[in-house]
Amino acid sequence: MNDTVTYNFSYSYNLGSAPQAQKEEELIAFDDCMEFPLPEQKILIRSKHSGRQIIVTNDVLYSLHLCREFRTMAEHAEHIGREIPELKDEPEDIRQALTSIRQAGLMLSAQDKVASIRSAPISRPSQGLCFCILSCDRTESLSRLLESMAANHQFSEHNLYYVIDDSRRQDSRNSNQDVCRAFSTTHGVALRYFGIEEQSQVLDQLKKQLPEHLQGIDFLLGRYQANPATPSYGRSRNWGLLLGAGRKVVLVDDDILFQRIDPPADHQETSITSKPRSAEFFRSDNDWQALCNAENTDPSKGIFSAALGTTLAEAISLTGTEALDQSSLRDLYPGDFPYVNADSSILLTSCGYAGDPGTTSNIWIYQLPENCQKRLLASELDYQHHITARNSWLGSFAPAFRQRFSLMSPMTGIDASRLVPPFFPLFRNEDLLFGEMLRFLHPHGLFLDSPWAVPHLPAEHRQWKKDLALTPQSYGLLDFSADTLALEPPPFLPDSPGQRLRACGSFFASLGELSDQALTEQIARLTLGLRTSQSCRINRVLESSTGAPEFWKNDLLNIVQAGRQSLSMPLPSGFQGITGSEDEQRALGRALWTSFAQGIQAWEACMEIMQKIQTDAS
């Protein structure tokens, strides 16, 4: 290397034989590794999954940190040279070092992974579905949804159909029950209404059979008496999982149309990804209607329901793909890589939103893939409209398999023939926490985002506030719980999902026992991580937007600056979305975690009892 360069790119020692050549076009990424400092500016790095290890210099490790995305060797060399100017003219040295790291087994190969995943025919018979429509004080929306189901869905005697009513008002409950009764009569469908009385009967039966779990069962399934106005989205979803125990469950929000809306993009290839969804933006409220699929109108058919419970290899065959290309893994994070295998089970399926994207924040707009920015940035007038209008197509343009279950969906398929966790019954982000718990129980499980959406048309008109993206990020109770579980899971976990579920219960019990000082510090620490990571992501978008319009770059810069300013502001010590002082918010959080832990300990038995009840009834 040139004598004027002080950057030490000595990659290792005691490697043995010379590195083998590799194909230039092969996509590779640095493995997810532990790091152990050594004397003389050296580091031992060891894979968290394969046990492979090697000793490198600090400078090499810094370079390897720049290789955490799948790229070709030439692309890695170019990227490292761009980030480390001292190495810009040393591509051969970079190649030699990366090839040696590859030989040591610490560079992941997308080609090797896809070669191990071949499509396979489905080996199990099809199973009836359990459709659970979740409704709360929205009779007109429920009626509209049911009529769209009548138009676009072929009701089957092999399926179960429920309306789970969580309405607060008695008049809404009466109206919803009338709607269900009339629909069943008109369309000859066994649509079961599951309201307060029906829920109370089953609740009493569960408590009678499980007297040692009364408090936990009440928390998961009972009505929240302390404040009946508190959102209880997760409670209705828990009833859905129990009613569909042993089956594939489809949870359906009542403010959608049951109609398949195709993506506004040309056909794209199936992928296994860790990256966010794609989006296209609508100018008027009815633009989505041009994307209606006239031939395949039912959004629950095809891979959405057929893939549930299959292996990845079987699900790939359902997409019409015989073999994946290595490029299908280009956006997979190295930390997710080891959990994606041919026999990974598809535990959850989802679809996108057409219309209101269902998010309270618009910060995701600024982190969209570059290919989604064309319509967004077509003009400053359109841009200002899109960042406030809440009117878009948000989803996956092609079948997308993911290892992290973190995406909202207006219609969600869940394989409840396996042990799945309960939803946290109160507050928002119940789907985010459920997804993290599902990954905790089944680390090799996957979910499939279907390449279509359904119209999401809330009764009330919603808009994002101008400059909403400048608001400092803060945690609610459930997203804080999800991130704590993801970042600090219990160690030494068993393989059994049942044992993992019990460990999950112990995890929430320990959260409930945190001292006030410890909880305050945990909130502060995670909030700092949340804000700094977002600032870094937005800054990377800004750095790659050299040719973008000035109004876009100015907004990105303002978001980055607002993020930096938030780091010097007093940090929150409570949870947004919960009333009361921050002291009261922490106290309530600890009490609810304790109750949730009790519910988790009862959950597996509840699922088994409900499956037996449903089997006996059929």
Side-chain angles (χ1 to χ4, degrees):
M1 192 173 288
N2 194 308
D3 291 338
T4 62
V5 176
T6 59
Y7 192 87
N8 182 2
F9 209 60
S10 169
Y11 50 84
S12 68
Y13 55 89
N14 296 331
L15 263 180
S17 59
Q20 297 176 352
Q22 70 180 66
K23 296 180 180 178
E24 281 291 307
E25 66 273 14
E26 183 181 16
L27 295 176
I28 56 174
F30 179 50
D31 199 355
D32 195 19
C33 290
M34 300 175 286
E35 301 170 7
F36 302 91
L38 291 170
E40 301 177 354
Q41 300 294 306
K42 291 185 171 62
I43 299 276
L44 185 146
I45 53 177
R46 179 181 174 87
S47 169
K48 294 180 181 179
H49 304 283
S50 70
R52 299 288 187 90
Q53 64 185 51
I54 195 173
I55 296 172
V56 298
T57 64
N58 289 348
D59 289 341
V60 168
L61 180 60
Y62 179 80
S63 301
L64 291 174
H65 287 167
L66 300 173
C67 300
R68 285 175 165 161
E69 293 187 15
F70 280 97
R71 301 184 179 96
T72 64
M73 184 68 76
E75 290 169 342
H76 278 304
E78 180 181 358
H79 180 64
I80 291 173
R82 186 166 54 247
E83 296 295 319
I84 306 174
E86 296 93 333
L87 295 177
K88 183 178 181 180
D89 298 324
E90 307 291 346
E92 287 307 315
D93 285 351
I94 296 175
R95 291 168 189 264
Q96 181 185 13
L98 294 184
T99 301
S100 297
I101 300 297
R102 169 80 164 95
Q103 184 192 17
L106 294 175
M107 295 297 286
L108 304 173
S109 165
Q111 184 60 54
D112 289 349
K113 178 65 75 173
V114 296
S116 70
I117 304 173
R118 297 289 180 181
S119 64
I122 295 178
S123 58
R124 66 205 75 189
S126 60
Q127 183 186 38
L129 305 174
C130 178
F131 287 85
C132 295
I133 298 170
L134 313 175
S135 188
C136 180
D137 292 313
R138 295 191 293 214
T139 301
E140 291 185 3
S141 295
L142 174 62
S143 181
R144 181 185 64 183
L145 167 63
L146 290 173
E147 290 306 317
S148 71
M149 287 188 74
N152 299 308
H153 174 70
Q154 185 173 355
F155 287 90
S156 169
E157 62 181 10
H158 300 295
N159 296 335
L160 300 176
Y161 299 92
Y162 289 95
V163 169
I164 301 174
D165 194 356
D166 195 35
S167 296
R168 290 353 188 223
R169 303 195 311 266
Q170 182 62 47
D171 63 319
S172 293
R173 294 194 288 268
N174 293 339
S175 298
N176 284 353
Q177 194 166 14
D178 290 343
V179 165
C180 292
R181 187 180 300 113
F183 185 84
S184 295
T185 301
T186 301
H187 297 281
V189 175
L191 177 63
R192 298 167 171 86
Y193 175 80
F194 194 73
I196 285 182
E197 292 183 5
E198 293 79 7
Q199 294 167 22
S200 296
Q201 291 174 4
V202 178
L203 184 61
D204 289 343
Q205 191 171 357
L206 289 172
K207 290 162 70 174
K208 184 177 181 179
Q209 295 195 46
L210 299 169
E212 70 277 20
H213 293 301
L214 299 183
Q215 290 180 313
I217 294 172
D218 262 334
F219 181 73
L220 294 180
L221 302 169
R223 301 183 76 81
Y224 187 47
Q225 302 300 330
N227 186 356
T230 298
S232 52
Y233 308 110
R235 176 181 171 276
S236 296
R237 284 164 168 73
N238 285 337
W239 279 120
L241 293 178
L242 290 178
L243 292 172
R247 286 176 172 255
K248 302 175 183 180
V249 176
V250 181
L251 302 177
V252 185
D253 292 348
D254 66 354
D255 58 352
I256 68 169
L257 296 183
F258 205 82
Q259 185 173 4
R260 175 170 163 167
I261 307 299
D262 283 344
D266 294 334
H267 172 74
Q268 297 182 16
E269 297 300 323
T270 298
S271 67
I272 303 175
T273 181
S274 306
K275 292 292 182 71
R277 284 171 161 174
S278 300
E280 184 66 86
F281 295 89
F282 299 139
R283 196 68 183 86
S284 69
D285 291 343
N286 298 321
D287 282 359
W288 59 266
Q289 294 180 0
L291 301 171
C292 292
N293 190 314
E295 296 182 359
N296 300 306
T297 60
D298 188 340
S300 68
K301 293 191 71 175
I303 59 174
F304 180 91
S305 54
L308 271 176
T310 66
T311 65
L312 174 59
E314 293 168 338
I316 288 173
S317 71
L318 293 172
T319 70
T321 303
E322 281 194 24
L324 296 173
D325 184 81
Q326 66 164 348
S327 61
S328 64
L329 271 64
R330 185 178 275 274
D331 293 329
L332 184 66
Y333 294 156
D336 297 341
F337 187 90
Y339 300 104
V340 176
N341 298 294
D343 59 353
S344 295
S345 298
I346 311 303
L347 303 179
L348 185 147
T349 55
S350 61
C351 67
Y353 290 83
D356 190 308
T359 61
T360 57
S361 172
N362 66 351
I363 191 64
W364 57 269
I365 292 178
Y366 300 92
Q367 302 172 66
L368 285 169
E370 189 174 345
N371 61 344
C372 295
Q373 296 174 9
K374 183 176 181 180
R375 175 76 66 92
L376 175 65
L377 304 179
S379 74
E380 185 170 4
L381 182 64
D382 283 349
Y383 167 74
Q384 295 297 340
H385 171 79
H386 294 322
I387 62 175
T388 59
R390 292 184 67 150
N391 189 19
S392 63
W393 196 105
L394 176 64
S396 294
F397 290 171
F401 295 93
R402 289 182 166 88
Q403 198 264 334
R404 297 176 186 270
F405 308 86
S406 59
L407 300 182
M408 295 173 60
S409 177
M411 193 175 76
T412 306
I414 300 173
D415 180 12
S417 67
R418 305 171 193 266
L419 179 62
V420 296
F423 286 87
F424 199 97
L426 305 173
F427 303 116
R428 295 186 180 276
N429 283 319
E430 77 288 346
D431 46 359
L432 177 65
L433 178 55
F434 174 84
E436 196 55 53
M437 293 173 65
L438 185 61
R439 188 166 73 99
F440 182 83
L441 263 63
H442 302 279
H444 289 272
L446 302 175
F447 91 82
L448 170 61
D449 206 17
S450 305
W452 55 81
V454 294
H456 180 224
L457 310 172
E460 68 278 12
H461 180 68
R462 302 171 177 174
Q463 277 197 309
W464 290 305
K465 293 181 180 179
K466 182 176 174 59
D467 296 330
L468 177 63
L470 302 180
T471 305
Q473 286 188 298
S474 298
Y475 274 109
L477 181 65
L478 302 197
D479 49 332
F480 173 83
S481 304
D483 277 6
T484 302
L485 180 60
L487 297 171
E488 302 175 14
F492 312 119
L493 291 172
D495 292 331
S496 160
Q499 292 174 310
R500 282 176 168 262
L501 181 63
R502 289 187 285 277
C504 200
S506 299
F507 169 83
F508 283 100
S510 67
L511 285 183
E513 295 171 353
L514 283 176
S515 69
D516 205 50
Q517 180 180 354
L519 179 54
T520 299
E521 177 57 31
Q522 179 76 347
I523 294 171
R525 190 160 56 84
L526 262 65
T527 300
L528 284 174
L530 190 69
R531 294 179 179 181
T532 54
S533 60
Q534 176 179 287
S535 183
C536 289
R537 288 194 300 270
I538 300 298
N539 193 65
R540 285 196 293 270
V541 176
L542 177 61
E543 290 175 345
S544 64
S545 298
T546 52
E550 288 301 314
F551 60 81
W552 171 250
K553 291 189 286 189
N554 288 338
D555 273 7
L556 291 173
L557 180 59
N558 289 336
I559 295 172
V560 171
Q561 291 175 342
R564 289 173 181 165
Q565 292 170 4
S566 73
L567 302 180
S568 59
M569 297 166 56
L571 291 168
S573 59
F575 302 109
Q576 64 179 2
I578 299 180
T579 58
S581 67
E582 290 187 319
D583 289 347
E584 292 170 330
Q585 292 166 11
R586 292 193 304 276
L588 179 60
R590 283 194 295 267
L592 295 179
W593 282 325
T594 299
S595 296
F596 191 42
Q598 294 170 340
I600 289 173
Q601 301 302 342
W603 183 247
E604 186 172 10
C606 288
M607 291 284 286
E608 291 171 353
I609 290 172
M610 286 300 294
Q611 184 170 353
K612 185 176 187 304
I613 290 174
Q614 297 287 48
T615 301
D616 292 345
S618 63

